[in-house]
């Protein structure tokens, strides 16, 4: 099957994180119909093994996709197929994420297993579950699950690059108790929307955060009481929207909002052309926080370290994303910390946690995944660079990404394996603007096949 046809077929199968039954059935049907040895573990990871006449080479990608949609789009990711479209030389989706992250990896692995060109090569393909919500499947893998000496992860987004390392990450989760107070007075709803959003690893690129903008405006008002505040969708996605209901005795809030809009538009003139603030009066809600608790929450949101912390010769070294805030029995805030080393992750996670603790929150810090750095000059690196130069007549870029990959977890479980990560050109990942370049997908498939042949020898 042509690689584009394979990818388009995969977009028809619903597979948001946490709801992978349909894509798992799709993969298991593929294996069973071809007599490919396969197994699915308790975490939903699927391992396919096709023995040949050579040493094994492993390909790996994840089953799930980020379920993000445009604000006015009605869409059920658990039931509906992605409305994928070919637009010139790209594949895009109508109003939702496309799922090229990591539908591309699934497509390449299935085509490799189906390929006549690779039929005599021992190949194993690992389809991990729920990568986008904490690399859950990878964490649940058995030790030494892979027989291969080499692992090619297919979860990257730039064909010019061979990735040889990634950041690690932690979640800092702060919970403020919902201490109900009186709700008398005039109440308002503020909605911040129209932001571009993007992958949370895009630190330092000038993307605005809807939760931060909301808290900055609320800080300017007198005697604020929150009823609710909700924004963001995933810890690894920059929030594009935030909505809050509140009361205030400040009679100048409209003029203060107008001034804040002007300041924000100027600050993000080059990166966020569509920022929108909507303020409207609402009926009195059924519950509200006290002024004291409201001030603690607003203060912590404004003080919380965010965006780029440190950079070095490999690019971004440390950053965080204030990713989610929810009001449901308590006010829960999730901040995701990324770092190139364990020391950076621990240091800045502690700093973020302390911000919330001193304002009265109960805080937990969860380590999500470790940093990964492939030893310089490994045999896999050398072969992958040589094949790349032979095929494309140029040097690849060896990169340590600030994004997170499953390679570090897999290498800890399979300590003798060497790993790289590659992928075709994509953009707008984790947002409704996601796209995939078609010819880059074809080149990446050819590169993977050639690399597998070379490594199997």
């Amino acid at each position: 099957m042509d690689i584009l046809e394979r990818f388009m077929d995969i977009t028809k199968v619903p597979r948001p994180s946490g709801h992978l039954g349909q894509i798992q059935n799709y993969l298991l049907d593929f294996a069973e119909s071809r007599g490919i040895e396969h197994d699915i573990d308790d975490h939903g990871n699927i391992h396919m093994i096709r023995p040949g006449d050579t040493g094994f080479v492993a390909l790996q990608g994840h089953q799930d996709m980020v379920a993000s949609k445009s604000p006015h789009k009605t869409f059920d990711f658990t039931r509906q197929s992605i409305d994928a479209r070919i637009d010139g030389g790209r594949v895009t989706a109508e109003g939702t994420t496309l799922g090229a992250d990591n539908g591309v990896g699934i497509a390449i692995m299935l085509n490799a297993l189906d390929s006549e060109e690779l039929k005599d090569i021992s190949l194993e393909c690992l389809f991990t579950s729920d990568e986008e919500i904490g690399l859950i499947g990878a964490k649940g893998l058995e030790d030494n699950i892979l027989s291969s000496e080499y692992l090619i992860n297919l979860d990257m987004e730039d064909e010019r690059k061979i990735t040889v390392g990634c950041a690690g990450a932690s979640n800092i989760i702060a919970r403020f108790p919902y201490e109900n107070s009186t709700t008398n007075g005039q109440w308002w709803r503020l909605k911040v929307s129209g932001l571009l959003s993007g992958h949370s690893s895009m630190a330092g690129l000038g993307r605005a955060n809807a939760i931060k903008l909301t808290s900055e405006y609320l800080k300017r008002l007198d005697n604020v009481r929150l009823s609710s505040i909700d924004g963001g969708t995933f810890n690894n996605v920059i929030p594009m929207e935030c909505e809050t209901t509140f009361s205030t005795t400040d009679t100048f809030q409209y003029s203060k909002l107008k001034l804040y809009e002007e300041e924000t538009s100027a600050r993000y003139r080059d990166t966020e052309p569509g920022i929108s603030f909507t303020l409207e009066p609402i009926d009195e809600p059924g519950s509200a926080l006290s002024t004291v608790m409201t001030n603690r929450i607003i203060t912590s949101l404004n003080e919380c370290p965010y965006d780029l912390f440190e950079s070095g010769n490999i690019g971004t070294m440390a950053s965080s994303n204030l990713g989610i805030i929810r009001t449901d029995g308590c006010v829960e805030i999730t901040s995701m910390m990324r770092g190139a080393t364990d020391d950076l992750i621990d240091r800045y996670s502690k700093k973020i946690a302390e911000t919330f603790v001193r304002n009265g929150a109960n805080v937990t810090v969860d380590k999500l995944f470790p940093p990964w750095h492939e030893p310089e000059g490994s045999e896999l690196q050398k072969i992958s660079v040589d094949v790349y130069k032979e095929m494309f007549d140029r040097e690849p870029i060896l990169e340590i990404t600030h994004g997170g990959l499953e390679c570090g977890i897999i290498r800890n479980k399979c300590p003798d394996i060497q790993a790289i990560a590659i992928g075709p050109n994509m953009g707008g990942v984790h947002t409704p603007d996601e796209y995939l370049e078609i010819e880059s997908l074809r080149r990446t498939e050819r590169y993977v096949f050639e690399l597998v042949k070379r490594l199997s020898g």
Side-chain angles (χ1 to χ4, degrees), residues 315-456:
T316 303
M317 298 288 290
S319 73
S320 77
N321 178 49
L322 185 59
I324 309 170
I325 187 166
R326 290 283 179 270
T327 307
D328 184 11
C330 68
V331 177
E332 183 176 283
I333 303 164
T334 303
S335 184
M336 185 180 190
M337 170 64 216
R338 295 180 185 269
T341 67
D342 286 317
D343 176 67
L344 287 169
I345 297 168
D346 293 341
R347 189 195 328 159
Y348 283 107
S349 294
K350 181 179 179 182
K351 187 174 182 181
I352 293 168
E354 288 172 347
T355 300
F356 292 112
V357 168
R358 68 172 171 261
N359 284 292
N362 184 315
V363 178
T364 59
V365 179
D366 298 327
K367 205 70 167 284
L368 295 177
F369 51 88
W372 157 58
H373 299 281
E374 194 68 18
E376 188 174 351
S378 70
E379 184 179 7
L380 176 56
Q381 279 188 44
K382 182 180 183 304
I383 294 172
S384 62
V385 168
D386 288 346
V387 172
Y388 189 98
K389 289 193 294 185
E390 291 169 14
M391 291 186 66
F392 305 118
D393 196 29
R394 63 175 185 264
E395 288 274 354
I397 300 167
L398 295 180
E399 176 198 50
I400 297 176
T401 179
H402 195 54
L405 292 168
E406 293 157 300
C407 298
I409 294 173
I410 295 172
R411 286 192 83 253
N412 285 346
K413 293 177 177 290
C414 305
D416 295 329
I417 207 166
Q418 299 176 42
I420 60 168
I422 57 177
N425 294 339
M426 294 185 270
V429 172
H430 293 187
T431 80
D433 296 322
E434 184 179 5
Y435 66 84
L436 167 65
E437 293 184 9
I438 295 170
E439 289 308 310
S440 179
L441 174 62
R442 298 191 195 283
R443 287 190 293 269
T444 300
E445 181 191 40
R446 292 202 303 272
Y447 176 56
V448 171
F449 283 19
E450 192 59 38
L451 189 52
V452 166
K453 287 189 287 185
R454 191 74 61 90
L455 293 171
S456 67

Side-chain angles (χ1 to χ4, degrees), residues 102-261:
N102 190 223
V104 160
I106 298 173
I108 292 175
M109 286 190 283
L110 296 184
N111 266 16
L113 289 164
D114 247 358
S115 170
E116 280 292 312
E117 182 181 348
L118 303 179
K119 66 179 181 180
D120 296 325
I121 293 173
S122 298
L123 192 64
E124 55 183 338
C125 294
L126 183 59
F127 305 81
T128 48
S129 65
D130 288 330
E131 186 267 356
E132 299 289 4
I133 54 174
L135 290 75
I136 293 172
K139 292 176 183 177
L141 291 169
E142 293 182 3
D143 289 346
N144 299 307
I145 185 173
L146 297 175
S147 303
S148 302
E149 184 179 354
Y150 305 112
L151 170 69
I152 304 171
N153 170 285
L154 299 167
D155 193 20
M156 289 306 296
E157 303 153 16
D158 188 335
E159 68 170 317
R160 300 170 303 168
K161 298 176 179 179
I162 297 173
T163 300
V164 294
C166 72
S170 64
N171 262 351
I172 301 92
I173 302 172
R175 296 179 179 90
F176 290 89
Y178 199 104
E179 300 173 351
N180 204 1
S181 179
T182 57
T183 59
N184 57 304
Q186 178 61 61
W187 286 82
W188 306 87
R189 177 183 292 110
L190 173 69
K191 185 172 184 178
V192 179
S193 60
L195 279 64
L196 290 177
S197 184
H199 195 287
S200 63
S201 65
M202 299 169 64
L205 298 183
R207 294 288 172 92
N209 181 309
I211 298 173
K212 273 288 188 180
L213 297 185
T214 300
S215 66
E216 286 176 1
Y217 170 66
L218 293 174
K219 185 180 179 182
R220 299 182 175 211
L221 303 179
D222 299 329
N223 298 317
V224 176
R225 283 184 300 149
L226 291 172
S227 175
S228 65
I229 179 167
D230 297 276
T233 52
F234 297 96
N235 63 347
N236 59 355
V237 179
I238 301 170
M240 69 169 67
E241 289 191 347
C242 185
E243 184 173 301
T244 183
T245 55
F246 66 96
S247 71
T248 178
T249 60
D250 199 320
T251 57
F252 297 101
Q253 66 165 313
Y254 277 113
S255 59
K256 287 183 177 181
L257 180 60
K258 186 175 187 300
L259 177 61
Y260 184 64
E261 281 185 283

